[in-house]
Amino acid sequence: MELFAPGTLREAFRKDGWAILTGTCEMNGPYDSPLNQNAIRRLAETLQRAGMRFSKVEGIYRGVNQGINYLVTGISPREATDLAAEYVQESVLLNEGLLMTRGGLVSMDHSQTLVGRDAMRQEFYTVLPGGLPVSCRLNLN
């Protein structure tokens, strides 16, 4: 997705209209368990049926590998949280931060976005298509 090209990452994450979603549910085991692999596949099918543009990315959430995630563009916060809730997710990442499916927001500090190896030292990060890691600093306190 051109919007998330290496030279425009910091600006792209500030814009609205995108979300990072996964079908991985930790109560079903690790990301590569059959139940999670099925959910990840079903989420991709759901996004395709809805005509949404998305790319495969890899995600680390609270230090746990979530496997395949999807970076979706042209999606509203409501659509993203509805999908996250359908796939039993605690939250979805948007330009504002982590929007919790049961209400609430963990805001994001865009001035602290990390790219490359520094991103991989964080508890939350995404590996974009092409292998570039990025971590948007969340205000967890």
Side-chain angles (χ1 to χ4, degrees), residues 19-31:
I20 296 179
L21 300 159
T22 187
T24 298
C25 180
E26 290 177 11
M27 69 182 175
N28 291 333
Y31 74 91

Side-chain angles (χ1 to χ4, degrees), residues 28-58:
N28 291 333
Y31 74 91
D32 57 354
S33 73
L35 286 173
N36 281 326
Q37 290 300 298
N38 184 47
I40 291 166
R41 188 183 73 258
R42 284 187 296 112
L43 176 56
E45 291 167 356
T46 298
L47 294 170
Q48 286 174 332
R49 278 194 307 275
M52 294 187 180
R53 287 190 53 186
F54 64 96
S55 294
K56 283 184 184 180
V57 297
E58 296 175 35

Side-chain angles (χ1 to χ4, degrees), residues 1 24 28 37 44 52 63 80 85 88 96 102 121 133 135:
M1 297 185 159
T24 298
N28 291 333
Q37 290 300 298
M52 294 187 180
V88 197
E96 299 171 19
R102 294 188 178 180
R121 294 184 184 104
S135 179

